[in-house]
Amino acid sequence: MSSYKAHPNTVNNSIIPSNMIAQYESNANDRPPKTPLQQQAIELFHAHQFLSCEKLSLLELSQMKLNLRQPLPKTTPRKNYLGINTNNAIEDTIAMATTYELLGDCANRAERFLCAVEYYRQAVTLVHDYHYTRSPRRTTRSADDGVTSSWEATLRVKECQALSQTGSIIEAASILERCFPRPRLRDGQIATNDFSTLQSLMLHGHLYMLSNRASDAIVQYRFALAKNPYAIEAVEQLAVLGCADTAILELVDEAVKNFAQERIASVKKSKKGDDTMQTGNDDEDKNQDDAKDNNNNELLIPVRDYVLAVTSLHRNQLHASHQHFSKLNNLFPDHPYILIQLAHIQQELGQILGSEQSYKRVRAIDPTWVEGMDKYAHLLFQLRMSRKNAFLLQQGG
């Protein structure tokens, strides 16, 4: 028994954050300064005025193209979008990449996915050429196709997300393969690409799942879980694909240790300036760091229980899964995802009344909840028929 629902023919739009505005600020080191008109367009996008943002961006794109086409005397230097003298064509056009990205995001929100793909590809071409000329030495296997910056990586993920919405799953997966090549280490192990993010890894894994490439999907989900031990969806997909619980737990433990070390290192770095004038507190600071490390590890106890719960569920070990989900339900009594899984397991084990109560609790928490309601309807039908039969037997007796 498994409550896992098969993927639809397209990747869920939730993979791309609903608030794309953060992405315009996230890769600041890779991006050129924004023009005043781009700032206004971004504000409109943030205010969900997508049509106004699109029209304003098209106006600026038209103006940028017009400026590039205007002939200038040989003695007159061309000024770029910031008014700086330049004779570099790539420097002149890089500002268009932000405008193309805005147009792609607006088209994506309007569900014009083919249009969005074309806009993203225009932006990718400009960004790739811009960063490739600035840093020609590359460490990826493909010097022609591998992404050159975090900005380009973000654009590629958006492009493949929109492309998958058109049903071109294989094409989207091949683009991610080409753009995020995985280098091999000296010991033969495969490492993640330097520009891979949790978003790109999860998207790649979903595309592989839709393409029935289970072994490749496992690799992507493992990398995603190693990036963030709280990526619950990666845990679920690894369980669906048949990974052993011990292997998943090892990934979770390794990831949480890395998390703890990174957090302690950042705290030490932030306090370094404050502690330069203080001495004799090394032991106390070490004890505090050890305590923080333990606290970070303790936060992962529910995740470990969830790993055991979902892996035993997909191995059809219902009694073990029931124990783990019951434990999680005691820790988080109003969690609808845990309750719905518990209700399904109780139903399969023949605990009809307990299953009915779990379904009722889900409905009480969220009256609009849809997942698993077909099984609830079947359970109610069974209860009605059993009560009707009991009534008939009683009347006949």
Side-chain angles (χ1 to χ4, degrees):
M1 187 275 294
S2 172
S3 62
Y4 170 73
K5 298 175 66 177
H7 282 285
N9 293 328
T10 56
V11 177
N12 195 316
N13 247 337
S14 62
I15 295 176
I16 288 186
S18 59
N19 187 6
M20 291 183 181
I21 190 68
Q23 297 187 6
Y24 297 109
E25 309 294 340
S26 59
N27 306 321
N29 294 333
D30 298 333
R31 296 174 181 266
K34 290 180 284 293
T35 66
L37 204 56
Q38 286 173 347
Q39 292 279 13
Q40 294 299 322
I42 291 174
E43 290 183 9
L44 287 170
F45 188 89
H46 182 57
H48 290 214
Q49 302 302 309
F50 305 124
L51 184 59
S52 297
C53 176
E54 182 179 15
K55 291 182 177 181
L56 194 65
S57 298
L58 285 171
L59 288 173
E60 179 166 46
L61 183 64
S62 176
Q63 186 65 45
M64 287 179 171
K65 291 181 177 180
L66 178 62
N67 291 339
L68 290 175
R69 289 196 300 265
Q70 286 179 346
L72 294 175
K74 295 182 179 180
T75 58
T76 303
R78 181 180 293 276
K79 295 181 181 292
N80 65 5
Y81 65 102
L82 291 177
I84 302 174
N85 296 339
T86 178
N87 293 318
N88 190 333
I90 296 178
E91 293 282 350
D92 290 344
T93 58
I94 186 58
M96 289 185 182
T98 300
T99 303
Y100 278 124
E101 184 180 8
L102 278 166
L103 288 170
D105 290 345
C106 291
N108 188 60
R109 285 303 185 93
E111 297 185 357
R112 303 193 330 263
F113 299 116
L114 285 176
C115 182
V117 168
E118 292 304 318
Y119 280 134
Y120 290 139
R121 286 177 176 173
Q122 293 280 356
V124 164
T125 300
L126 296 174
V127 174
H128 184 89
D129 294 341
Y130 176 72
H131 286 285
Y132 187 77
T133 55
R134 287 164 61 98
S135 53
R137 297 187 63 182
R138 304 282 299 285
T139 57
T140 57
R141 290 183 299 179
S142 174
D144 296 328
D145 297 321
V147 295
T148 57
S149 63
S150 299
W151 186 11
E152 185 182 352
T154 300
L155 289 170
R156 283 298 189 183
V157 171
K158 290 182 178 182
E159 174 195 353
C160 293
Q161 171 66 36
L163 194 61
S164 69
Q165 295 294 326
T166 67
S168 302
I169 303 300
I170 297 177
E171 183 182 357
S174 63
I175 290 175
L176 289 178
E177 285 180 352
R178 190 172 67 248
C179 295
F180 295 92
R182 300 193 299 267
R184 286 189 177 273
L185 303 178
R186 293 181 179 179
D187 57 358
Q189 296 291 330
I190 298 177
T192 56
N193 187 278
D194 292 339
F195 296 108
S196 294
T197 62
L198 180 62
Q199 181 183 2
S200 68
L201 292 169
M202 290 298 296
L203 173 60
H204 209 170
H206 291 329
L207 292 173
Y208 280 147
M209 287 280 287
L210 294 171
S211 305
N212 295 322
R213 297 171 59 179
S215 59
D216 292 323
I218 289 174
V219 173
Q220 297 299 324
Y221 288 132
R222 286 174 65 93
F223 282 140
L225 190 56
K227 284 233 178 233
N228 190 329
Y230 299 100
I232 301 298
E233 188 177 2
V235 171
E236 293 175 348
Q237 299 297 353
L238 288 172
V240 170
L241 292 168
C243 290
D245 52 0
T246 54
I248 301 176
L249 289 174
E250 288 177 1
L251 287 173
V252 171
D253 291 339
E254 181 181 357
V256 76
K257 288 178 182 177
N258 294 334
F259 254 38
Q261 292 175 358
E262 290 176 1
R263 291 176 181 177
I264 290 175
S266 63
V267 170
K268 285 183 178 180
K269 186 176 180 180
S270 63
K271 291 184 176 181
K272 186 176 180 181
D274 299 334
D275 295 341
T276 51
M277 302 301 295
Q278 299 179 5
T279 58
N281 294 330
D282 294 341
D283 294 338
E284 182 180 352
D285 293 341
K286 185 177 182 302
N287 293 334
Q288 292 178 354
D289 293 340
D290 292 340
K292 291 179 180 179
D293 193 2
N294 292 332
N295 289 335
N296 289 331
N297 289 332
E298 288 176 2
L299 291 175
L300 261 161
I301 292 176
V303 179
R304 291 178 60 86
D305 290 336
Y306 193 80
V307 169
L308 296 173
V310 294
T311 52
S312 57
L313 173 62
H314 290 286
R315 288 199 303 267
N316 208 31
Q317 298 174 350
L318 299 182
H319 289 284
S321 183
H322 181 268
Q323 292 178 356
H324 293 302
F325 274 114
S326 297
K327 181 178 179 181
L328 289 170
N329 184 49
N330 292 332
L331 295 172
F332 309 102
D334 292 328
H335 197 298
Y337 290 96
I338 296 175
L339 277 172
I340 201 70
Q341 296 288 1
L342 186 60
H344 294 341
I345 296 171
Q346 289 171 328
Q347 188 173 0
E348 290 292 327
L349 291 175
Q351 301 175 8
I352 305 300
L353 296 179
S355 179
E356 182 187 17
Q357 293 301 317
S358 297
Y359 281 123
K360 284 183 178 180
R361 288 177 60 190
V362 173
R363 294 285 294 170
I365 295 170
D366 185 359
T368 63
W369 189 271
V370 176
E371 181 183 352
M373 290 300 106
D374 55 338
K375 295 184 178 181
Y376 185 27
H378 181 66
L379 177 70
L380 292 176
F381 177 77
Q382 286 180 315
L383 286 172
R384 179 180 179 182
M385 293 303 298
S386 62
R387 289 165 183 166
K388 181 179 179 180
N389 292 335
F391 175 78
L392 292 175
L393 287 174
Q394 185 179 11
Q395 293 296 320

